[in-house]
Amino acid sequence: MGFANPAVNARRILGSIPTYLILTIGLLLAVIPFLLIFITALKSPAELGNAFALPQQFHWENFQRAWTQARFGTYFKSSLIVTLSVVGISCLLSLLTGYAFGQLRFPLKNSIFLLFLIGLMVPTEAYIIPLYYSLRAVHLTDTYWALILPQIGMSVCFGSFWMRGFFSGIPRDLVDASRVDGCNDWQTFWHVMIPMVLPGLWTMAVLFFIWTWNDFLLALVMITREGLRTLPLGLAMFQGRYTTDYTLTAAGATIVALPTLLFYVLFQRQFIRGVTAGAIKG
Amino acid sequence: MDRSSFNRSAYLYLLPALAIYGIFVLFPILQTIYYSLTDWNGLTAPTFLGLQNYLNLFQDAVFINALLNNLAFIFFYSVLAIVLGMFFAVLLTSAPLRGMTFYRAGLFFPQVMASVVIGMVWRWIYHPQYGALNQVLRAVGLGAWARPWLGDFDWALTAVGIVGTWAQYGFCMVLFLAGIQNISSALYDAARIDGAGMFQQFWYITLPGLRNQLLVALISTLIAAIRIFDLVFVTTRGGPGYATLVAGMYLYRNAFVINRVGYAAAIAVLLTILILIISYFILRLQRTQEEESFA
């Protein structure tokens, strides 16, 4: 349509220039703040005078200093342990609850589901105060457990809600057919259902990843030992201590941002689908 | 449902998730409600107060001020972000564009970043001496406007609020984009034939077609504005003075800095009730609308 007439085409292209211009300005505004901190991370302290200027030479050693001297390597390890545990366990448990809610019939099903919905709505603030005092009483504060277990508790609420939708969408005939073919419950679950809920599982895993990787409040309350800090906590506390070592702080911020950026570039679609789907979570 | 078709193994599948959720989330919620009715310093035994904490909260000028700051954040997180998000979504769909997904991905990006990182990035931009904002102002001859934005009593709240808008509008945009793409193009064609202009098409087709997405955007940005904590903690810690103190920050101070645990629990309960009420009303709005559209 329309491509036979060059005049119409030219007008369409010209007409879309203002749109591109506005979009590009928006895009620059979204990206430049991150670029500025990345540039700062590569500078020497003497080069801070012009925020937009590139450094004479790239001071990659700022990253090395942040990693070792400012202990971002340690924080990275904490974040990795906590995030992998939460994402792995929460996905597994959500597959089980999603299967139960979406495929099985049992008494009290709706009441138990409602219970999970409460966890979907309430904010961390609603439970963190008593949780801190209880966990401290049993010496679980200042352990990874204090971050992993509550985060799983919150995640499975969303997971149950989310995976139920996918499991209940599996056609009855397909399940019956596999039974006729001689599959037992486990085989049906594993070979017939899991492949069908896989897209939902990926989206959910990406969501669990951002929630855990970015979490600040839980870590702030539960962790006081420096060696156990996660990346966001380490960054927030670090800036309090070295307030004037700007290039080091900037390198630290870049280290925290980089894994998310990498993940985002790889799984952009899942991120966008996931975050908009998880929007109703408190 | 006949009894023989019950699948008792279901409980086994639910048990691990339910146990972790129950112990680490659900039970502590009940404890929060209990502590909110007591005077407790976290060490000695709590003394029962009834509703006294709540009565005190409503006479606490600092808390009222914090709530008003949350209200101001609603303007930045919800109103501004939704308007900007709508603007970009309409722009992106106004004509078939090359690179649409590229722009979408770029504008959405701040939404996935940790708020601690976002806070750090903007602290740097607002830095009195080295910050990009003051440097730009000086470069274009507006040096008189340069100031320590986050330390300024009059500007700190706006400065943090703008960060909120910046981080949220891409999210709203993506929601609206998905919605607009679901609106039948036949509607627009018909409207054009009837002589409807851009604005009329937006008002009579796009906006009503986006009601669901608007409600979702409203719920999540309102909740974000009520819960705001990380960003304030990293940028201003509530300062200068109480200029950017929000309810979440006040809760944190009471619970973990000055050990007025019962009082903090009351704040937690109030915030949670506020969030539940908002979610409930907006979800109900969504439901009535769905029923209407089926009728």
Side-chain angles (χ1 to χ4, degrees):
Chain A
M1 129 195 148
F3 52 86
N5 187 338
V8 170
N9 244 352
R11 212 172 57 195
R12 187 174 297 157
I13 290 168
L14 277 179
S16 61
I17 284 178
T19 311
Y20 277 114
L21 208 66
I22 297 171
L23 281 174
T24 307
I25 292 172
L27 192 66
L28 288 177
L29 284 176
V31 176
I32 282 178
F34 293 112
L35 280 181
L36 288 178
I37 206 118
F38 179 60
I39 295 175
T40 308
L42 291 171
K43 286 182 176 178
S44 72
E47 292 170 312
L48 294 175
N50 183 347
F52 297 95
L54 285 174
Q56 293 277 312
Q57 61 186 108
F58 293 151
H59 292 267
W60 294 105
E61 72 272 13
N62 288 336
F63 285 97
Q64 207 181 352
R65 277 168 60 222
W67 190 261
T68 52
Q69 185 189 327
R71 303 193 67 176
F72 273 83
T74 316
Y75 306 153
F76 195 92
K77 196 188 88 187
S78 297
S79 274
L80 207 61
I81 292 174
V82 171
T83 305
L84 287 181
S85 313
V86 170
V87 174
I89 299 173
S90 302
C91 283
L92 194 71
L93 296 185
S94 304
L95 280 178
L96 293 179
T97 56
Y99 169 65
F101 285 126
Q103 284 283 328
L104 306 178
R105 298 203 294 165
F106 53 93
L108 292 176
K109 180 169 158 179
N110 286 337
S111 316
I112 301 175
F113 187 68
L114 262 171
L115 218 55
F116 278 112
L117 281 187
I118 296 175
L120 195 63
M121 302 289 218
V122 295
T124 314
E125 287 85 343
Y127 62 89
I128 195 161
I129 300 170
L131 186 65
Y132 167 75
Y133 286 100
S134 307
L135 290 182
R136 201 179 63 171
V138 294
H139 306 291
L140 273 179
T141 49
D142 269 328
T143 65
Y144 292 139
W145 294 114
L147 304 179
I148 294 172
L149 291 169
Q151 197 74 47
I152 293 176
M154 287 295 269
S155 301
V156 291
C157 293
F158 176 78
S160 304
F161 165 79
W162 180 248
M163 291 317 297
R164 180 185 83 146
F166 284 86
F167 275 104
S168 62
I170 296 173
R172 193 81 230 156
D173 300 349
L174 209 66
V175 178
D176 292 340
S178 78
R179 292 259 157 71
V180 171
D181 288 346
C183 289
N184 60 30
D185 276 359
W186 178 247
Q187 286 166 325
T188 310
F189 177 72
W190 201 242
H191 296 296
V192 178
M193 296 190 184
I194 292 292
M196 295 209 62
V197 301
L198 219 51
L201 184 67
W202 287 128
T203 308
M204 184 176 76
V206 164
L207 261 183
F208 289 167
F209 165 80
I210 339 180
W211 288 339
T212 314
W213 188 265
N214 292 351
D215 167 72
F216 176 62
L217 183 56
L218 256 184
L220 175 69
V221 171
M222 297 297 172
I223 302 296
T224 52
R225 264 179 48 200
E226 203 188 339
L228 292 175
R229 283 179 187 163
T230 56
L231 281 173
L233 180 64
L235 180 62
M237 292 294 140
F238 165 81
Q239 101 181 355
R241 196 152 40 102
Y242 300 79
T243 26
T244 53
D245 201 335
Y246 299 114
T247 56
L248 199 59
T249 315
T254 310
I255 291 177
V256 184
L258 225 49
T260 315
L261 175 65
L262 199 74
F263 246 60
Y264 185 64
V265 171
L266 289 175
F267 301 108
Q268 184 225 113
R269 265 167 220 287
Q270 279 82 358
F271 266 91
I272 295 180
R273 199 185 314 138
V275 173
T276 42
I280 34 165
K281 186 190 170 296
Chain B
M1 204 189 279
D2 81 284
R3 249 167 192 293
S4 59
S5 70
F6 286 158
N7 211 321
R8 302 211 171 266
S9 56
Y11 298 114
L12 213 63
Y13 301 141
L14 295 180
L15 189 65
L18 205 55
I20 296 177
Y21 166 54
I23 294 169
F24 294 96
V25 178
L26 207 52
F27 181 65
I29 292 176
L30 299 176
Q31 285 180 300
T32 305
I33 298 172
Y34 166 68
Y35 287 136
S36 78
L37 304 174
T38 68
D39 177 23
W40 191 36
N41 60 12
L43 293 169
T44 52
T47 42
F48 192 76
L49 280 185
L51 293 174
Q52 196 57 47
N53 280 330
Y54 294 93
L55 296 177
N56 291 346
L57 267 177
F58 286 113
Q59 285 165 3
D60 180 345
V62 178
F63 179 66
I64 302 291
N65 169 64
L67 279 185
L68 290 176
N69 284 341
N70 279 96
L71 202 65
F73 275 113
I74 287 179
F75 171 74
F76 291 104
Y77 270 69
S78 301
V79 181
L80 267 187
I82 287 176
V83 168
L84 263 178
M86 184 67 81
F87 172 77
F88 276 100
V90 169
L91 204 66
L92 272 169
T93 47
S94 59
L97 293 175
R98 275 167 187 277
M100 210 272 266
T101 45
F102 174 71
Y103 283 109
R104 189 182 66 168
L107 291 171
F108 186 78
F109 180 59
Q111 179 69 28
V112 301
M113 201 39 91
S115 39
V116 174
V117 172
I118 287 178
M120 294 297 297
V121 163
W122 280 87
R123 260 180 82 101
W124 188 233
I125 290 173
Y126 286 138
H127 190 280
Q129 190 184 352
Y130 302 121
L133 181 56
N134 280 349
Q135 287 185 6
V136 168
L137 287 174
R138 289 193 190 103
V140 298
L142 289 173
W145 275 80
R147 65 193 73 221
W149 295 95
L150 294 172
D152 190 297
F153 274 90
D154 295 327
W155 282 94
L157 187 68
T158 309
V160 180
I162 285 173
V163 180
T165 306
W166 174 83
Q168 290 285 338
Y169 85 88
F171 161 74
C172 299
M173 180 202 77
V174 166
L175 272 179
F176 301 150
L177 265 180
I180 291 176
Q181 283 162 345
N182 279 335
I183 300 175
S184 159
S185 60
L187 282 176
Y188 290 104
D189 294 339
R192 263 194 296 273
I193 290 167
D194 289 345
M198 280 285 279
F199 183 75
Q200 283 167 315
Q201 288 178 35
F202 172 74
W203 192 255
Y204 292 107
I205 301 174
T206 311
L207 214 51
L210 285 180
R211 243 188 82 173
N212 259 326
Q213 284 77 14
L214 268 167
L215 292 175
V216 173
L218 207 57
I219 291 191
S220 41
T221 54
L222 279 175
I223 290 178
I226 292 170
R227 288 194 55 191
I228 178 173
F229 175 77
D230 304 9
L231 192 61
V232 170
F233 187 96
V234 173
T235 50
T236 63
R237 301 227 173 171
Y242 295 130
T244 57
L245 187 81
V246 285
M249 195 73 211
Y250 195 48
L251 178 154
Y252 174 78
R253 276 191 197 171
N254 274 292
F256 303 110
V257 182
I258 58 174
N259 293 330
R260 288 170 76 191
V261 182
Y263 200 58
I267 302 176
V269 171
L270 279 182
L271 285 185
T272 307
I273 290 175
L274 209 59
I275 287 173
L276 291 181
I277 289 176
I278 289 176
S279 312
Y280 173 77
F281 273 106
I282 298 184
L283 285 176
R284 228 183 57 164
L285 224 64
Q286 197 169 10
R287 198 153 314 136
T288 33
Q289 183 224 343
E290 265 160 26
E291 278 156 15
E292 275 166 19
S293 64
F294 279 123

